[in-house]
Amino acid sequence: MSDQPSGVPAENGADDTPRKAAVRQEGRHEDAPRREAAPGDAGPPRSSARMTKQDAAPGGRRSGASHGASHGASSWAAYEPPPPPAWVAAAKPEEPPPIGGAALWAVLATGTLAGLLLGDGLGLNVLLAALPAALAAYFAGRAAGRGIHPWSLVWAAGGTALLLVPALRDAGWPTFLALAAALATGSLALHGTRTWRGTLIGCVGVFGEVLPGVLWAWHGLRERADGSRDRWWPVVRTAGVAAVLLAVFGALFAGADAAFADLLAGLVPEVSVSDGPAHALLFVLGVAAALGAARTAAAPWRWDRVEGGRGRPRGRMEWALPLVVLNALFAAFIAIQLAVLFGGYDKVLSETGLTYSEYARQGFWQLLTVTLLTLVVIALALRWAPRGAARDRTLVRAVLGVLCALTLVVVFSALRRMELYVDAYGLTRLRVSVAGIELWFGIVIVLIMAAGVFGGRWLPRAVVASAAAVVLCFGLVSPDGLVAEQNVRRFERTGQIDLAYLRGLSADAVPALDTLPEPQRSCALRDIARDVLDGDKPWYATSYGETRARAVLTARPADRMELPCGGLDREGRTPESR
């Protein structure tokens, strides 16, 4: 593209092909006879069609007071913006077709459900609001001619399963992780990427399509509204009449029968005037999210097309020697660990001066860091690995394969230390979380080893899928329930329990805490019982964990008075048991 205005002759014999092409587009060749001016045809003067180099200002505009307003306007009209960067041009999607009626109705349903259901808490309502958004994306993608890839079905199924976690568990932290993972898998289902760059960006790519989705829907609505009032106005009128009839006769039936009124109150969301702004905001957010998903499904960014440069291959000795030394260090550490794991604790503790629990606590965090840094080392080593001949590939597989195998032993050692740490101090939310992270690191290392044998084309998607699977399992096993169960078993074995910590758990911990003897049981369940029994959540915002806890606490009420905890020490022991 040139910044030179049209009508300026090329200087010094420069190629004037663009000028000829522009002339041909106007329907005539530059060698054709010039049309005579018709009477009254006020064409531009000959002098205005030319300008000298001294008259031209930077950017293709003429300088000086001699230029008229009409010439300045034509110069600005001839201006073309600079081309986008190469990576934007490669990844930028095509313009999607106008949004269809089915997608619009699905978007409206998403906003309505979000505004009505999501204001009372998180439960089954998250899945109910997400389903019409998925339908909007499906209708938009089908209208754009996009097919469904098998991996898109995998991501969609995983996202749906993750949205079940809020309906099953009351704890907020596994719910947050599940919702974040569901957004990532849903975004991947819309993009359909396979490379590392495309997979990582695709996890959050749908957020960048929210504003373009709103503009896309606005233009589509304007096009559909022109001359289509006869089609959409009867639909709106019919929906309004149906809503009025339901409201009037529903209120009359509710006043006539108390049982029907209770059923209607449980099914229909309760919306008050004071909550109007919050419900309106949720409606807007639901519509925006559904439009972003639909816009992504219709025309996703193609991040796989962005080419990333690989690192310059290193020589065999330069690349392999640091990794061989690292493997030797890993082997020496693992040899000591095997001796410790098979009964050498007494000797190690006597030489270090640490207690049993201090040794376990100190080692776990270092080994977790070692596992993470090893994954970074493997990624960098693959970037600069020699890849000239078959011997180079064999060297890479051998050195990195040994490093991965040794790292798996480190992962096992870290998990073993966490087990010792939990036996000494009890299980907490933080400890079960970092143990899950360490376990996922081990899964990633196994996937890397499999990629070295079978090829790594599938590795990016497999790593993200394993992360989503770990988050799903983490939510399904009820981490708060695990924490409560382990602490109850520790109390039965040692007579020690941290009741102050257990009182901060969610309703998922009630079945395990219900097995404690009194007064420890009532002391642990006092705060949880207040939240569960005094709360008034609708069915769609109540989790299975809350329902089960309410049943347990109703059958065996906990003493909510301060007295049960007054005679217990910090470790939950009564004066008689000390």
Side-chain angles (χ1 to χ4, degrees):
M1 184 188 66
S2 175
D3 291 334
Q4 189 176 13
S6 59
V8 180
E11 297 181 359
N12 299 327
D15 187 10
D16 60 346
T17 302
R19 182 171 60 87
K20 294 181 178 180
V23 173
R24 293 191 189 100
Q25 291 178 358
E26 294 177 358
R28 63 178 178 84
H29 195 275
E30 67 172 0
D31 295 332
R34 186 178 302 273
R35 181 180 63 88
E36 296 294 330
D41 187 5
R46 182 179 301 271
S47 59
S48 64
R50 296 176 179 270
M51 66 177 179
T52 62
K53 187 175 182 180
Q54 290 78 9
D55 292 332
R61 291 182 299 166
R62 295 180 60 187
S63 60
S66 60
H67 304 290
S70 61
H71 184 79
S74 63
S75 299
W76 282 109
Y79 173 77
E80 296 181 7
W87 65 270
V88 174
K92 188 175 182 179
E94 299 178 355
E95 191 66 24
I99 187 170
L104 283 174
W105 282 112
V107 168
L108 181 61
T110 303
T112 303
L113 291 177
L116 293 177
L117 304 182
L118 296 183
D120 299 313
L122 300 180
L124 189 61
N125 49 6
V126 179
L127 182 60
L128 295 178
L131 287 179
L135 288 177
Y138 169 74
F139 292 139
R142 187 180 64 177
R146 294 190 65 198
I148 300 179
H149 193 271
W151 268 100
S152 296
L153 295 177
V154 172
W155 297 128
T160 304
L162 287 165
L163 290 179
L164 290 175
V165 173
L168 298 176
R169 302 297 170 223
D170 178 57
W173 55 302
T175 296
F176 171 77
L177 293 176
L179 292 179
L183 287 174
T185 54
S187 182
L188 285 175
L190 300 176
H191 282 86
T193 57
R194 62 180 182 274
T195 63
W196 279 110
R197 181 181 291 100
T199 302
L200 295 179
I201 300 178
C203 289
V204 295
V206 70
F207 294 100
E209 293 297 315
V210 172
L211 182 58
V214 173
L215 299 177
W216 172 58
W218 172 251
H219 293 309
L221 285 173
R222 291 186 61 182
E223 293 180 4
R224 296 176 64 88
D226 294 340
S228 62
R229 186 177 184 275
D230 295 336
R231 293 197 304 268
W232 59 265
W233 176 244
V235 176
V236 175
R237 183 175 55 199
T238 303
V241 172
V244 171
L245 292 177
L246 287 176
V248 172
F249 285 93
L252 292 175
F253 285 135
D257 188 274
F260 183 80
D262 292 338
L263 176 64
L264 194 64
L267 295 178
V268 178
E270 183 179 354
V271 180
S272 61
V273 177
S274 60
D275 297 334
H279 289 287
L281 177 61
L282 290 173
F283 173 82
V284 172
L285 292 178
V287 169
L291 288 176
R295 176 67 167 75
T296 305
W301 283 73
R302 303 295 186 179
W303 298 110
D304 288 343
R305 299 176 181 175
V306 180
E307 298 181 358
R310 299 186 63 180
R312 183 175 63 87
R314 307 295 180 178
R316 295 176 185 173
M317 182 62 64
E318 181 184 3
W319 179 87
L321 182 59
L323 295 179
V324 170
V325 173
L326 183 62
N327 285 342
L329 179 62
F330 269 62
F333 175 79
I334 290 171
I336 297 177
Q337 289 299 296
L338 292 177
V340 172
L341 292 175
F342 285 103
Y345 283 109
D346 295 337
K347 180 180 179 181
V348 173
L349 297 181
S350 62
E351 293 179 355
T352 59
L354 299 175
T355 63
Y356 186 78
S357 57
E358 289 174 345
Y359 177 75
R361 178 178 60 182
Q362 182 188 50
F364 173 79
W365 297 103
Q366 283 83 349
L367 295 182
L368 178 67
T369 305
V370 166
T371 307
L372 178 60
L373 291 179
T374 303
L375 292 175
V376 176
V377 169
I378 293 173
L380 295 177
L382 289 174
R383 178 176 176 82
W384 291 310
R387 44 186 179 267
R391 295 176 57 187
D392 294 330
R393 293 191 292 271
T394 303
L395 176 65
V396 170
R397 291 178 179 176
V399 174
L400 293 183
V402 171
L403 180 59
C404 289
L406 295 175
T407 307
L408 284 179
V409 181
V410 173
V411 171
F412 175 77
S413 178
L415 294 175
R416 173 59 179 164
R417 291 193 183 220
M418 174 55 72
E419 182 181 359
L420 301 176
Y421 189 24
V422 169
D423 288 340
Y425 293 99
L427 188 62
T428 63
R429 289 173 168 177
L430 177 61
R431 292 163 194 168
V432 71
S433 299
V434 295
I437 294 174
E438 181 72 14
L439 180 62
W440 177 64
F441 284 165
I443 295 174
V444 172
I445 292 172
V446 172
L447 293 175
I448 293 174
M449 296 175 68
V453 177
F454 302 106
R457 184 179 180 85
W458 48 269
L459 184 59
R461 292 178 289 192
V463 170
V464 177
S466 66
V470 169
V471 172
L472 177 61
C473 294
F474 186 74
L476 294 180
V477 300
S478 181
D480 275 16
L482 287 179
V483 170
E485 291 175 4
Q486 199 282 332
N487 282 275
V488 169
R489 288 197 297 266
R490 180 172 175 267
F491 174 75
E492 295 173 350
R493 186 178 66 255
T494 64
Q496 299 177 354
I497 190 170
D498 190 353
L499 294 176
Y501 182 81
L502 295 179
R503 284 198 297 267
L505 297 178
S506 65
D508 300 330
V510 169
L513 298 179
D514 183 58
T515 61
L516 287 171
E518 293 290 355
Q520 287 83 1
R521 175 185 178 274
S522 293
C523 185
L525 292 175
R526 185 185 62 196
D527 295 342
I528 303 177
R530 184 183 301 112
D531 295 336
V532 171
L533 297 179
D534 296 346
D536 187 18
K537 291 184 179 180
W539 62 271
Y540 49 81
T542 303
S543 65
Y544 170 73
E546 290 177 289
T547 303
R548 184 174 57 173
R550 184 178 293 109
V552 170
L553 294 173
T554 302
R556 294 183 59 194
D559 190 353
R560 302 195 197 182
M561 303 299 293
E562 295 289 340
L563 183 60
C565 300
L568 301 178
D569 62 4
R570 180 178 178 83
E571 296 182 347
R573 295 177 298 184
T574 59
E576 295 79 9
S577 61
R578 296 173 189 170

